[in-house]
């Protein structure tokens, strides 16, 4: 038993002469994610810094980045600024007038102040992927700051990141509670909550809703990416993994539920102020966190305080996720060359963070948002679900559910409950196989607003999606080629040990 106490597994599983394809694929997938994901942290850091300004820059028009079609949101009305006569509006140029928000949709050319700050100042967005433009140095500095925080937190591996996690894990909960209490006091907050919690049963018939929920689950809990396996490998041998699995699931999805309450109380307030429905102010993706929500917070008393708290929460949540992804990559690298790299953990971390920072610079250029959207859209569409299927098959049918249950009993003095065995062996892989085919059948190419990606980008996206999957058949073929005996002999050896 003493030998087992110090046992630590890696996401990349070694099988004598070759690496298992699932592990290699997960390593590639995690590497791709840690390159583009810190862009979100960089956006949050930039907005966090801008929240300290005397006047929130996304709450006014008339700035150097604003166009003639800018709209200022205020409580109860929308102030129209700088509308030219060629815009089919009767007022003369450079005038300010107040119109009811319900009349705004007829002017297709108008833009909100928060949207223009996001598009023209924060991103400096170009015409499309063909115009990469220049590096936005305010975002590049924010990206560097995010990687500096990641490096400082991972410098000693799980020992240092475990201490940092006390801040990055618990601080968001504190900020969520503070924001929730404040936003619940806003007029219209109840409307937002009702819109959030009242189910639209007709949407349950939409397969796209279920598929989006499934993909979100893979990002939220990280099954199939290798992250959980890597972090769990540092647990003590007798750690209660069954309890941890349940706690992780309920805490993770409970946090998402609370976050949704915070978001929709503000959206309800915005809808109430504008005199429109909640569905008309709600959005998804980066537009929700960096356009709709900042616009709503800017209408509150002490807007700098609430914006600062919100983006501090966004930053800490992003860093917490980045720690897990990055630790997975570094652990796999050091475990492949333990004699050389384990003693040089700081150097490996520094080189990895520097390389990822440089590779992430294209995402903070003028065309960076298009590359980010492309990577984020295709990265999880195939590999996460496929790896989940293969892991279920590997544990339940190749390694064997009986043997797996005996291993759990050795650690916890109790076998895996029958419910989990049935789910792992039959129900979960069955649902995931169906979901994989549905995702491929219903998949829609990405868009950014009205921008349609050219077919070349779609091809590049599918190459990115399949890049982490290719090692699975390749490594399987290599292992079978190097194994002794016939194919049937090797298959029988794998199945029966």
């Amino acid at each position: 038993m003493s030998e087992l106490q110090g046992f630590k597994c890696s996401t990349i599983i070694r099988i004598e002469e070759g690496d298992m394809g699932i592990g290699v694929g997960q390593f590639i997938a995690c590497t791709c994610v840690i390159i583009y994901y810190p862009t979100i942290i960089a956006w949050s850091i930039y907005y966090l810094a801008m929240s300290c300004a005397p006047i929130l820059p996304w709450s006014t028009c008339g700035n150097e980045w604003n166009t003639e079609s800018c709209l200022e949101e205020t409580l109860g009305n929308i102030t129209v600024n700088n509308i030219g006569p060629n815009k089919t509006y009767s007022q003369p140029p450079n005038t300010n007038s107040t119109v009811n928000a319900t009349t705004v949709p007829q002017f297709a050319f108008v833009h909100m102040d928060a949207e223009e700050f996001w598009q023209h100042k924060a991103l400096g967005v170009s015409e499309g992927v063909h115009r990469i433009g220049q590096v936005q140095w305010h975002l590049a500095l924010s990206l560097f700051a995010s990687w500096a925080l990641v490096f400082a937190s991972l410098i000693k591996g799980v020992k240092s990141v475990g201490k940092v996690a006390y801040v990055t894990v618990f601080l968001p909960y504190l900020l969520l509670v503070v924001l929730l209490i404040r936003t619940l006091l806003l007029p219209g907050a109840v409307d937002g909550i009702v819109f959030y919690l009242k189910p639209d049963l007709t949407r349950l018939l939409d397969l796209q809703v279920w598929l989006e929920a499934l993909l979100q689950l893979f990002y939220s809990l990280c099954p199939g990416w290798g992250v959980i396996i890597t972090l769990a490998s540092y647990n003590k041998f007798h750690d209660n993994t069954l309890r941890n699995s349940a706690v992780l699931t309920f805490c993770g999805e409970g946090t998402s539920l609370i976050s949704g309450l915070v978001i929709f109380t503000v959206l309800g307030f915005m809808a109430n102020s504008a005199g429109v429905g909640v569905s008309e102010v709600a959005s998804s993706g980066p537009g929700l966190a960096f356009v709709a929500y900042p616009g709503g917070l800017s209408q509150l008393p002490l807007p700098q305080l609430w914006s600062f708290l919100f983006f501090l929460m966004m930053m800490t949540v992003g860093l917490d996720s980045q720690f897990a992804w990055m630790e997975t990559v570094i652990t796999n690298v050091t475990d492949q060359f333990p004699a050389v790299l384990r003693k040089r953990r700081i150097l490996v971390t520094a080189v990895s963070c520097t390389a990822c920072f440089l590779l992430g610079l294209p995402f903070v250029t003028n065309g960076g948002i298009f590359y980010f959207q492309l990577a984020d859209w295709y990265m999880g569409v195939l590999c996460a679900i496929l790896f989940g299927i293969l892991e279920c098959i590997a544990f339940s049918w190749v390694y064997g559910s009986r043997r797996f249950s005996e291993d759990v009993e050795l650690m916890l003095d109790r076998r895996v409950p029958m419910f989990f065995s049935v789910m792992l062996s039959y129900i979960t892989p069955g649902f995931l196989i169906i979901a994989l085919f549905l995702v491929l059948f219903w998949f829609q190419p990405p868009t950014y607003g009205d921008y349609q990606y050219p077919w070349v980008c779609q091809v590049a996206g599918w190459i990115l999606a399949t890049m982490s999957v290719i090692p699975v058949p390749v490594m399987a073929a290599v292992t079978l080629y190097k194994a002794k005996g016939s194919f049937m002999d090797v298959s029988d050896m794998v199945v029966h040990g």
Side-chain angles (χ1 to χ4, degrees), residues 181-201:
I181 293 174
R182 178 63 185 92
T183 54
L184 282 173
L185 301 176
L186 298 174
V190 175
D191 296 333
I193 293 177
V194 171
F195 182 84
Y196 176 57
L197 297 179
K198 184 179 179 180
D200 183 359
L201 298 181

Side-chain angles (χ1 to χ4, degrees), residues 478-494:
V478 171
T479 302
L480 290 174
Y481 176 77
K482 292 184 177 180
K484 297 180 180 179
S486 64
F487 176 79
M488 296 303 298
D489 294 335
V490 174
S491 301
D492 184 71
M493 178 184 67
V494 170

Side-chain angles (χ1 to χ4, degrees), residues 315-345:
M315 183 190 72
T316 52
V317 169
L319 285 173
D320 201 42
S321 300
Q322 184 68 5
F323 294 156
W325 296 105
M326 195 66 186
E327 180 61 32
T328 301
V329 173
I330 294 177
T331 298
N332 279 287
V333 172
T334 55
D335 282 3
Q336 293 306 297
F337 309 97
V340 179
L341 298 182
R342 280 186 182 174
K343 296 181 180 180
R344 298 174 174 83
R345 167 81 190 207

Side-chain angles (χ1 to χ4, degrees), residues 43 46-47 50 57-58 60-71 87 109-127 134-139 290-291 364-367 369-370 448:
W43 295 337
Y46 176 65
Y47 270 75
M50 292 295 101
W58 53 81
T60 61
C61 291
N63 302 290
E64 60 179 353
W65 58 83
N66 291 126
T67 67
E68 292 184 348
S69 305
C70 181
L71 293 179
K87 302 294 187 179
F109 55 87
V110 298
H111 301 89
M112 294 301 181
D113 43 16
E115 180 185 359
E116 290 209 344
F117 177 83
W118 166 248
Q119 296 284 2
H120 304 313
K121 178 60 177 177
L123 300 181
V125 65
S126 66
E127 295 86 353
Q134 299 177 342
V135 172
Q136 301 296 289
W137 290 107
H138 56 278
L139 292 182
F290 298 98
V291 177
V364 293
T365 59
N366 297 110
I369 185 63
F370 300 106
Y448 182 73

Side-chain angles (χ1 to χ4, degrees), residues 441-458:
F441 179 77
W442 288 93
F443 182 81
Q444 298 291 330
T447 59
Y448 182 73
D450 296 330
Y451 180 78
Q452 302 289 332
Y453 284 86
W455 68 269
V456 176
C457 293
Q458 298 179 31

